[in-house]
Amino acid sequence: MIVAELERAVRAIGQPRFAQIWADATIAAAWSSGSSLPPFDPRDPVVAYAVRKSGPWRLADVTLDSPALEACRALGADTVAPLVSLGEFVGLVALGSPTLGQGLARSELVMLEEVAAQAAATLRVARLTQQHEAAERRWQSNAEELRIAQQIQRSLLPESLPELAGWQVDAHYRPARVVGGDLYDFIPLPGDLFCLVIGDASDKSVPAALVMATTRSLLRSAALRVVLPGHVLARANDDLCAQIPPGMFVTCFIAILDTASGRLRYANAGHCPPYLSTSEGATELRASGWPLGIMPGASYDEGEITLAPGSALVLFSDGLTETHRSDGEMFGTARIADVVAPNGKSAGALELILAAHERFAGPGWEPEDDLTIVTLARLGEDATDDGGGAERELVLAEFAMPSVADSERALAERVLDAVADQPLTSRQRDRLRTAVGETAMNAAEHGNHYRPDLSIGVQVARRGVELLVRISDSGLGGSIPEPAAPNLEAKVAGLQSPRGWGLFLVEKMVDRLQVHETPPGHTVELMVRLDGLKGAES
Amino acid sequence: MTDATLKTAVRPLSAKVSVIEIEGSVTRSGEAALMDAYRQASGDETRGIILDFTKLDYMNSSGIGLLVTLLVRANRQRQQLYACGLTEHYRDIFAVTRLNEAIHIYPDEAAAVAAAGQC
């Protein structure tokens, strides 16, 4: 009992008739000493007075109109010491001297001042601690809420990607630190039909996660009952309006695919329109409708397209388009269109978008909102050529790295990460690592002259049994020489520079080395065969 | 990514044979360290220098260039270079560049020392 201790100290001063410490309301509640004084009013003029005029004060000398001081007088106090620490008022000591009206001796006043100073400091710290603990408790319960919300949300997302013959479905979900409420779902339907859903529940909290869970169930049950996507949304909307907390809503895009014919019917409840990539280019699929949960009885427009082989549908949440870079620019939708416009890689659209997003956001970017991307690609002959009847190529990774000295190792490791799942022997991996590193070194040094504004482009792809790594530079170094066997004897004899091993090594480490003109620079293409056939001799 | 520096430790085994232990990365930035180690390892009577690559983490073509520079100096001093502790990948690289014809490779220090003792 801090206050009791302090009162004992005060009572030791000249044996006053009574002494009480009257701490301000926030402390009195926790450490009441059974004072008969009413709760302290923080608006009392004595608060401002005490910070200006240090005590102790003889009450007879104080003319301030203060209910608090009146209360002290009424109790019989004739001396009051304000408790002020670091400019903060924390309370009063009210003292009645042994003989009424006599007041305290000078030495007693000095002691009182010292005790008051100590008491003030102690009580101030006590108040801070109490406030801090209350804030901690609030924070803890918030953090716990968020954890629960995250768990709920994640348990409702699909565990695996669906396998549909003739189609490739990919999904990428990156949650923000805070729960975001993104939703995507794959619902198999009878008769070769397949339903894709992407949505975003407004707000970030436990309520958003619960709304998302509810929405998911409503969509699933509606999709199993009605055939048209517009009707699915309408049913789900009516049910959701009945139970959603006021002010909350869910945007949602739904598509029902006939996996046999490629016909896709879709409807949209206020979600960002997805992109369709075909041989003609990239277009947005638009269909109007209110977000779910706002207007009961709302109806939803529908659209219909047919996905030809080689085309792809790209669904995403606004966590992607609203990514802000440090210079304030937004990723936006145009970039998606640029990336998914046909280039013979419809099945690698997800990787391309992720690479473009990574390049845009830069290192160290932290997402503010969940980022969800779902792609649906129809496999088959691609519209673009790749050398007459060539096999379809799947891009495994695509990224750019700065032309900085000694960064070739990091670049090579990224390439090795991208092929971690590919059937390479460990010897092939070591050799590929060296080949990529050497090529990157050349690109940085000779192709880009280590200019920080010129990056090295890297693409990793798989085409049948061939693994391809393409490394591009900006062509500052002129054309790339043919790799010739360096003459060791000449070098040892000091007739040639000790350097110049790079390109030669590269060729020896892979099964094929090709150089392509890709204005303004060049692209070196390395190929490693995955079927275990021996390529170049060791 | 591990630190890209080169650390060396020089151990003279006798008046004629020294060992240079190589740790870390052998790349362009390791030139000073490597040449310094060579100077330390190379006494008036040194005839053989063993490069112990057991703790080698990484070597690129610039590193090979450094070894060639070392070869040039060793040749001038009529010293023979040996290598031990190389992983299969780096033995491959030595073979592809024919560096193994000039720097003889042995599986471990003991074998290299035995060979060096013959010169």
Side-chain angles (χ1 to χ4, degrees), chain A residues 408-409 431 434 438 489, chain B residues 57-58 60-61 89 92 98:
Chain A
E408 85 275 5
R409 254 183 112 177
R431 291 159 85 91
T434 288
E438 294 298 327
E489 283 90 0
Chain B
D57 177 47
Y58 175 74
N60 61 15
S61 57
H89 178 57
D92 272 352
R98 294 175 54 220

